[in-house]
Structure formats: C-alpha cells, structure tokens
Amino acid sequence: MDAGAVAMDSEDGKSYSSRKEMWLQEAGEDAETSRDPDLNKKDEWYQNGIKYWTGVEATVDGVLGGYGNVSSWDVMESDRFLLDVLSECMPDYVRGNRHLVALDCGAGVGRVTKQLLLRHFHEVDLVEPVQHFLETARRDLKSHILESNVIQDHSLHRVVNFFATPLQNFTPEPNRYDVIWVQWCIGHLTDQDFVTFFLRAKVGLKPDGLFVLKENVSKCGMPNLFCRLTTFR
Ligand code: SAH
C-alpha cells in the first residue's frame, strides 16, 4: 500500500491517513525509517494476534473464520498453481527425481500441509505459534505418511518438523526448502518484520527455490474479495 493510501483497522473500524500512521499507532513501528520501534506496542500487537487465535477452535472451520467450506476450492486452485510453477521452474520435479522439501508458514491446524503440500513434497515442516493449533496438527500429521499421487515416484511423503514459533522470530535452516508457502497469515506481521522475514526466508531456500505468498486482497475496503497467489524468486 502506498504511503498516501487510507488504511483501515478492521477490528474496531479505526481509519488512518497513511500506512506510516497506522503502523506507528498500532504497532509502534516507523514504517519509513525502520528506527527504534516502541517495543511495548509491538509486543502488544503480536500478543493480540495470538490471543485472538488462542480463542478459536482448532479445526479447519476455525482457522478459516467459519468459512471451512472454501477449503476444497482453495486447495484445488493452489494445486493447479503449484503444478504449473513447479513444472516450469523445476523440470526435475516432473521427472520425479528431485527430493522436495516445503515449509508451511502460519500453518494453523495443518490444513495446507495435509491437503496440498504433502501431495507434492517429500518433506514438509510447519511453523505455527498457537499451541493448540500446532498440537492438533501434530496429532493429525505425525503418522500421516502419503505416497505421492501427483508425481509418480512412489516415495513417501511426511511431516518432519513442527516449529512452535511466530514468523517474526523464525529463521529457517539455510538451503533446506524448495518452496516456502505463506498463506493467510502474513497480515500478522508488521511491514518491517515481513521484510526481514522475507530476507531470512531467502536464505532458507535452495538456489532455485520459490517463496509463495497467498493472501486475500481487496480494492475496496472489505477484505476477502480476491485471493492472490504470488511467487518470488
Ligand atoms: N495457513 C493456515 C492458517 C490460516 S489462519 C491455513 O490456510 O489453513 C492464520 C494463522 O496464522 C493461524 O494459525 C495463526 O495462529 C497464525 N499466526 C498468527 N500470528 C502469527 C505470527 N506472528 N506468525 C505466524 N503465524 C501466525
């Protein structure tokens, strides 16, 4: 969003004249100079996010804000997108002779991992800060081993790591991931923390790895109007 645009706080309907003003008021962060944030305010911003999700039931319907019915459509579109980009960017993926690893960021109860990523990737790691979500994902996915039905390599696909941490504190292992998938959670990070996470994520990617960001975007106030998938290299 450019600095002149009006940014809305959807929680309590506050509006701000600029992105800079919003971040300053909401999270004590100077979005332009990246100088000395107000750490108490920033802490409060992140705690409020966690507090909200801690009160939400650990189900697909819960993490999708009551719109659990969109999950299969969401997965179908992501699946098509992933097949396209992997086929184009990683030719050895199609031949089935590449060991693929993905990271699911803000993974919730593991919906994206279970329904999408495990179909394509041999190893998937989850990073999620809300304890009861991650525990549900762990219970559901620990012994969930899938034989790939997308690429015909007949090798087993499984979850390897469950990281209980928020993205602003997470640093991926260097050079581990073919794809870092960030879906419906990046709005929790302040602009600066997103940029610094993005830079750390780059180090976590293999040289031809992809960073995928899937978010709702809106041209007119209300969110949830469009869903946009974007890759970065
Ligand atoms: N990506 C999942 C969950 C979306 S709900 C899916 O599509 O099914 C948003 C998720 O973001 C919740 O699981 C919430 O706990 C998580 N979240 C909240 N604050 C976060 C933060 N600072 N870093 C990473 N994830 C966060």
Side-chain angles (χ1 to χ4, degrees):
M1 191 183 296
D2 60 16
V6 175
M8 298 288 289
D9 172 358
S10 58
E11 270 292 285
D12 50 13
K14 269 188 246 161
S15 68
Y16 298 99
S17 58
S18 66
R19 179 177 66 97
K20 180 179 160 77
E21 189 200 341
M22 184 190 82
W23 283 124
L24 207 56
Q25 297 290 323
E26 292 287 327
E29 185 176 279
D30 186 332
E32 270 152 35
T33 64
S34 62
R35 268 198 320 259
D36 306 333
D38 175 340
L39 291 178
N40 288 335
K41 246 192 138 78
K42 204 162 182 177
D43 222 37
E44 199 187 328
W45 164 269
Y46 283 116
Q47 275 174 18
N48 283 341
I50 299 303
K51 201 163 121 198
Y52 170 79
W53 288 108
T54 302
V56 169
E57 66 171 29
T59 59
V60 167
D61 209 40
V63 294
L64 296 187
Y67 291 94
N69 59 317
V70 307
S71 187
S72 54
W73 295 99
D74 162 57
V75 169
M76 199 169 73
E77 290 304 318
S78 295
D79 198 57
R80 198 175 309 176
F81 171 86
L82 199 50
L83 260 176
D84 272 4
V85 290
L86 289 179
S87 308
E88 193 186 316
C89 304
M90 298 177 193
D92 44 356
Y93 158 81
V94 188
R95 293 192 290 272
N97 52 8
R98 173 167 172 151
H99 185 84
L100 291 164
V101 184
L103 176 68
D104 183 0
C105 295
V109 293
R111 180 187 71 90
V112 174
T113 291
K114 186 173 182 177
Q115 297 180 23
L116 174 77
L117 299 175
L118 277 175
R119 283 164 38 76
H120 298 269
F121 298 88
H122 302 89
E123 293 179 35
V124 181
D125 293 344
L126 277 68
V127 50
E128 165 59 47
V130 171
Q131 207 182 345
H132 73 304
F133 287 172
L134 196 66
E135 281 314 310
T136 301
R138 196 193 298 271
R139 269 199 310 276
D140 196 26
L141 293 168
K142 211 168 88 183
S143 50
H144 184 82
I145 295 179
L146 195 82
E147 190 171 319
S148 170
N149 49 0
V150 181
I151 39 176
Q152 300 304 313
D153 65 349
H154 300 296
S155 56
L156 298 180
H157 293 198
R158 67 200 171 96
V159 175
V160 176
N161 295 300
F162 295 86
F163 297 113
T165 184
L167 287 183
Q168 68 274 16
N169 297 343
F170 182 73
T171 301
E173 182 187 317
N175 219 24
R176 171 162 168 75
Y177 299 105
D178 297 279
V179 167
I180 294 184
W181 189 277
V182 183
Q183 177 164 356
W184 291 340
C185 66
I186 204 63
H188 284 289
L189 266 58
T190 65
D191 282 6
Q192 274 172 33
D193 286 347
F194 175 37
V195 171
T196 52
F197 170 67
F198 193 59
L199 296 173
R200 294 196 303 280
K202 189 174 176 197
V203 178
L205 287 171
K206 293 175 186 167
D208 60 350
L210 298 165
F211 185 95
V212 179
L213 183 64
K214 185 165 186 175
E215 269 309 326
N216 295 325
V217 291
S218 163
K219 290 185 176 164
C220 56
M222 288 295 287
N224 300 327
L225 293 182
F226 306 99
C227 199
R228 186 166 189 153
L229 264 160
T230 314
T231 50
F232 301 91
R233 248 197 166 159

